Amino acid sequence: MINQETKIFTPQYLLLCLSSFLFFASFNMLIPELPDYLSSMGGEDFKGLIIGVFTITAGLSRPFSGKLTDKWGRIPVMVVGAAVCVLCGFIYPWANTIFFFLLLRLVHGFSTGFKPTGTAAFIADIVPITRRGEAMGIYGFVTSTGMAFGPYLGSIVASEFSLNTLFYTSSVFAFMSVAILFSMKETLAKEKREPFSFKLFKIKRSDLFHPDLWPVAVTVFLTSFAYGTIITLTPDLSKIVGVENKGLFFLIFTLASLFTRILGGKISDKKGRVRVLIFGAVLLVMAMGLTSITSHYYFFIAGGIFFGTSWGLISPSYQAWTIDLCSEETRGRAVATMYIALEAGIGLGAVVPMFLYDNKPEQIGYAFQLCMLMAAFAVVFLVWYKRKFKVA
């Protein structure tokens, strides 16, 4: 592990942020256009699976990526994840049936099953312990910018050129992400590394779930449910409200999160992770309530702002909390546990509310009200945990 100093902005950290910006822009630029693409094949009833099947392989691959991160290295795991995006972008133009398309989404999910796991462990290796939340917040600022830029750019590329051009653009962004990773230095100590072999894929029960991470897992699951619904249904919500660019909501909530990520992470370093998470979850309840009111454009805007603000507080806090609760030797597996909960929440949030929506515009508000309920459960859990274990 690289010896931690007091500064955050080292060359390694900056290169990692740039690589992650390109990675998140790569696969997020596709999201606003995929529902209509699937509907053009006659698959409008399967729109919830666009995110749902993506998160299945992301979640299933987490125990493997976590173990590989701790044994094989941070950078190789990140390269594998970004390389999947490169490959999938070139295959999407050939996915012209519902089955082939959903199968490709299943494969594409391996990208987020690997890249963020290695990234979180890498950041924990190189940043000061006392500034961990701040570092996660800055990193989140960069990735959120990529997530905002990606969908907005994707809609422009698709409308001005073609869907195939969009898919190829996604591959180019992912390729640049991989190229940057090859210029970086591995942070896992040489004496801890093992050469790649298939025995590394042998998973024990302890690799599936880090027992110390249970409060993080509960919190992440309950709050990420809303995220799954947002990324699945906001393209439809945009059309219902009368917004032409289906990436606008993504842009609004991501820009809003930029103003709170750094601040939220920094406050969590000083005031405590749980305290910040409670406040963020309360804002998430309000965000989902506003988004469920589809009668006016202003509620659409306000919902995006509140959602971005809440997610900007929640995300860096639970990422830093994850590292706080694990040992250096189990960072990869701890991060994998956190991401398994994240993928489970996003996946169910993408699929379950679709039954309430049922492609009926007048019912879309019910989907966001369910998210509001899940966020309220998160508030109750965190308040209980804070009092029970007397933590900040």
Side-chain angles (χ1 to χ4, degrees):
M1 185 184 75
I2 291 177
N3 189 28
Q4 294 178 343
E5 301 176 357
T6 57
K7 61 183 180 180
I8 292 176
F9 294 107
T10 61
Q12 289 275 77
Y13 182 81
L14 294 173
L15 285 171
L16 183 66
C17 285
L18 179 57
S19 173
S20 295
F21 169 85
L22 294 167
F23 172 76
F24 279 94
S26 169
F27 74 87
N28 275 283
M29 70 174 60
L30 304 179
I31 291 176
E33 301 302 324
L34 291 182
D36 284 348
Y37 184 55
L38 182 59
S39 296
S40 69
M41 306 175 200
E44 58 273 358
D45 293 333
F46 300 98
K47 285 186 287 188
L49 295 180
I50 291 173
I51 302 300
V53 297
F54 186 91
T55 58
I56 288 175
T57 44
L60 290 176
S61 63
R62 294 293 182 188
F64 301 98
S65 65
K67 185 175 182 179
L68 288 167
T69 295
D70 288 334
K71 302 291 185 181
W72 188 28
R74 319 313 197 192
I75 291 178
V77 169
M78 290 190 283
V79 168
V80 169
V84 170
C85 283
V86 177
L87 179 65
C88 289
F90 282 106
I91 299 177
Y92 271 111
W94 303 92
N96 50 14
T97 67
I98 296 173
F99 175 79
F100 191 5
F101 174 83
L102 293 178
L103 180 63
L104 185 56
R105 288 298 293 168
L106 201 66
V107 173
H108 204 165
F110 282 108
S111 63
T112 56
F114 275 73
K115 178 68 166 64
T117 303
T119 297
F122 192 99
I123 291 175
D125 290 343
I126 64 174
V127 302
I129 295 173
T130 56
R131 301 181 68 185
R132 188 173 283 158
E134 183 182 359
M136 291 296 184
I138 295 169
Y139 168 75
F141 179 98
V142 173
T143 58
S144 292
T145 305
M147 293 170 69
F149 176 72
Y152 198 75
L153 175 65
S155 289
I156 293 173
V157 171
S159 62
E160 296 295 328
F161 299 97
S162 67
L163 272 176
N164 286 354
T165 303
L166 171 61
F167 295 141
Y168 298 142
T169 303
S170 172
S171 281
V172 170
F173 271 61
F175 179 80
M176 290 189 292
S177 176
V178 173
I180 291 169
L181 292 172
F182 278 115
S183 68
M184 295 169 61
K185 183 180 178 181
E186 177 60 54
T187 58
L188 183 64
K190 287 184 179 180
E191 61 271 17
K192 296 180 180 179
R193 292 182 224 165
E194 297 181 19
F196 177 81
S197 66
F198 286 103
K199 73 176 184 179
L200 293 176
F201 288 94
K202 187 176 181 180
I203 298 297
K204 297 181 293 187
R205 183 178 298 179
S206 60
D207 296 321
L208 296 174
F209 186 84
H210 195 301
D212 295 337
L213 267 292
W214 71 269
V216 176
V218 173
T219 303
V220 170
F221 173 78
L222 292 173
T223 53
S224 62
F225 189 92
Y227 194 90
T229 304
I230 286 291
I231 59 179
T232 302
L233 288 185
T234 48
D236 282 17
L237 179 65
S238 299
K239 290 189 287 186
I240 291 170
V241 175
V243 176
E244 184 176 349
N245 190 310
K246 288 171 286 188
L248 181 61
F249 192 92
F250 294 91
L251 182 64
I252 292 170
F253 84 67
T254 308
L255 289 177
S257 75
L258 297 181
F259 293 100
T260 54
R261 279 186 180 273
I262 298 175
L263 182 62
K266 197 168 186 176
I267 292 174
S268 76
D269 284 334
K270 297 181 178 181
K271 302 295 184 180
R273 317 297 187 199
V274 177
R275 189 173 297 174
V276 174
L277 284 166
I278 291 172
F279 184 60
V282 169
L283 289 179
L284 183 59
V285 173
M286 298 171 63
M288 292 299 95
L290 287 167
T291 307
S292 70
I293 305 172
T294 60
S295 58
H296 204 286
Y297 173 77
Y298 292 125
F299 290 110
F300 176 88
I301 300 297
I305 293 171
F306 270 79
F307 179 73
T309 304
S310 66
W311 198 249
L313 293 172
I314 290 169
S315 182
S317 298
Y318 71 61
Q319 290 182 34
W321 196 17
T322 297
I323 304 302
D324 292 344
L325 295 178
C326 71
S327 65
E328 181 184 328
E329 291 73 22
T330 60
R331 276 179 182 165
R333 279 165 282 182
V335 170
T337 296
M338 180 266 289
Y339 275 117
I340 288 171
L342 181 71
E343 304 296 353
I346 293 175
L348 289 175
V351 174
V352 175
M354 288 296 294
F355 294 103
L356 296 175
Y357 170 39
D358 196 28
N359 289 309
K360 297 176 182 176
E362 67 275 9
Q363 295 182 188
I364 197 169
Y366 299 148
F368 297 108
Q369 288 166 11
L370 176 59
C371 297
M372 182 172 64
L373 181 62
M374 296 292 283
F377 286 151
V379 174
V380 173
F381 168 75
L382 287 165
V383 170
W384 169 83
Y385 182 85
K386 187 176 186 298
R387 292 177 178 175
K388 175 76 174 177
F389 297 96
K390 295 179 173 58
V391 297

